Amino acid sequence: MMKFDNYAVFGQPISHSKSPRIHKLFAEQTGQLMDYAAQEVPAETFAAATSRFFADGGIGLNCTVPLKELAWQYADQLTERARQAKAVNTLARQADDSILGDNTDGIGLLNDLTINHGIALKDAKVLILGAGGATRGIVPPLLEQQPSTLIIVNRNIGKAQAIAEDFAALGAVQACDYANLKDRQFDLIINATSASLSGDLPPLQADLLKAGGSCYDLAYANQATAFVTWGLANKAAHSLDGLGMLVEQAAEAFFIWRGVRPQTSPVISLLNAERALNNTNG
Ligand code: NDP
């Protein structure tokens, strides 16, 4: 009998997760024998569930809300980008049974922005809305692209300041509150708040986006999110949601686990086509 290697995503809630489908498509595309399951795991039982998963032969695990910081604490070793992010979305069992923690969210966003959509970051004025775990993951790879400005705006300004201070050595990054965005304009606005999940929008003035600028919502949904709709209403050249980032971060995790890099564009196209069909039928 053929042996399938075991992978999973843990989170709460998890039933909406597209990760099992994405990894199944990657496995089919690259001929890898692997199972990938979604399991509802609350923070309280994360450590026990993760130890059981690896003790039972599991090889790789994705962790999503609200488990990324716990996964960061759980890992025996961290990649540099995970150490910086203080959050882990990918755990990988090593040959000596130790557990490596990585964070592929930042590279996932970068690949979607620059490779899939051709959005240039060098010398761009970039604004990030929100200062949670996702922002920590995306700031270092964005700074590597040398934007002229990177501003993090958050309701709780202290959280934005803490991230700006932590990454000050990597490039020009500043914190700001929403009231002080007046009279500023950006080439790229990235929504890394969780507001879209409840259909909300942070307080944004209409002229915040430069002519020809782009909007990117890390959140994704079957319908356009409130922020994607805001971008379209403000004539963004691109107004994108985070489905592409989700597929790209999954591809990086797949590469860490299997040493094979899947092609992402056919998977993104398929998921987008399914979403369009759902919307037509729904
Ligand atoms: P966190 O809970 O860590 O942070 C949430 C942030 O959103 C905080 O800064 C909070 O501000 C802010 N916020 C929440 N509601 C509002 C609102 N109504 N107005 C203004 N600000 C608000 O979440 P994460 O950083 O983990 O995730 C952020 C988003 O990114 C989520 O939508 C998540 O689904 C998405 N994501 C997508 C990925 C992908 O692959 N596409 C990968 C990772 C994340 P405050 O601090 O002031 O409370």
Side-chain angles (χ1 to χ4, degrees):
M1 214 168 84
M2 285 189 292
K3 187 184 169 304
F4 282 68
D5 294 332
N6 283 331
Y7 296 84
V9 57
F10 286 179
Q12 187 182 49
I14 203 64
S15 59
H16 69 288
S17 173
K18 292 188 191 294
S19 293
R21 174 124 172 81
I22 293 169
H23 283 284
K24 184 166 186 286
L25 291 166
F26 286 163
E28 284 167 5
Q29 186 199 99
T30 57
Q32 301 288 304
L33 297 181
M34 54 190 283
D35 272 330
Y36 186 109
Q39 192 178 324
E40 175 115 2
V41 175
E44 300 73 50
T45 59
F46 170 75
T50 302
S51 296
R52 199 175 322 120
F53 172 79
F54 285 117
D56 288 348
I59 294 180
L61 191 63
N62 282 139
C63 301
T64 186
V65 178
L67 307 174
K68 289 183 186 180
E69 277 183 34
L70 292 173
W72 182 76
Q73 289 163 9
Y74 185 94
D76 299 311
Q77 308 139 49
L78 294 167
T79 61
E80 179 58 17
R81 60 192 180 188
R83 191 192 60 74
Q84 286 175 335
K86 297 187 179 159
V88 156
N89 73 339
T90 303
L91 292 171
R93 199 176 74 198
Q94 306 296 287
D96 63 358
D97 283 340
S98 65
I99 305 298
L100 175 72
D102 200 351
N103 186 317
T104 66
D105 284 338
I107 188 71
L109 172 67
L110 199 63
N111 287 348
D112 198 36
L113 282 171
T114 60
I115 300 174
N116 298 341
H117 297 287
I119 297 172
L121 294 166
K122 183 149 173 53
D123 299 328
K125 290 192 159 81
V126 180
L127 174 67
I128 301 177
L129 316 174
T135 296
R136 278 198 171 273
I138 65 176
V139 165
L142 288 173
L143 284 174
E144 264 175 33
Q145 301 296 306
Q146 300 180 315
S148 67
T149 314
L150 182 59
I151 293 185
I152 305 169
V153 60
N154 200 43
R155 293 181 305 197
N156 175 338
I157 178 78
K159 280 166 69 181
Q161 281 165 339
I163 298 180
E165 278 163 24
D166 282 356
F167 296 124
L170 302 181
V173 51
Q174 299 161 42
C176 183
D177 53 29
Y178 284 97
N180 285 320
L181 284 177
K182 213 155 43 81
D183 303 328
R184 303 194 79 143
Q185 284 202 310
F186 297 88
D187 300 294
L188 174 63
I189 306 177
I190 298 171
N191 182 21
T193 73
S194 49
S196 293
L197 301 178
S198 45
D200 291 334
L201 194 63
L204 303 174
Q205 87 249 9
D207 58 356
L208 199 58
L209 186 68
K210 262 199 202 169
S214 295
C215 291
Y216 195 103
D217 198 343
L218 264 51
Y220 55 90
N222 279 339
Q223 267 78 33
T225 65
F227 182 68
V228 167
T229 304
W230 183 88
L232 293 171
N234 285 281
K235 302 192 174 52
H238 301 268
S239 194
L240 305 161
D241 76 7
L243 186 66
M245 171 180 175
L246 182 77
V247 175
E248 293 294 341
Q249 64 77 29
E252 289 295 317
F254 192 91
F255 178 69
I256 291 162
W257 295 329
R258 308 299 298 185
V260 179
R261 202 170 279 284
Q263 286 190 322
T264 50
S265 36
V267 175
I268 295 173
S269 299
L270 181 67
L271 294 180
N272 272 324
E274 286 176 357
R275 176 154 76 162
L277 192 68
N278 262 341
N279 288 340
T280 313
N281 294 340

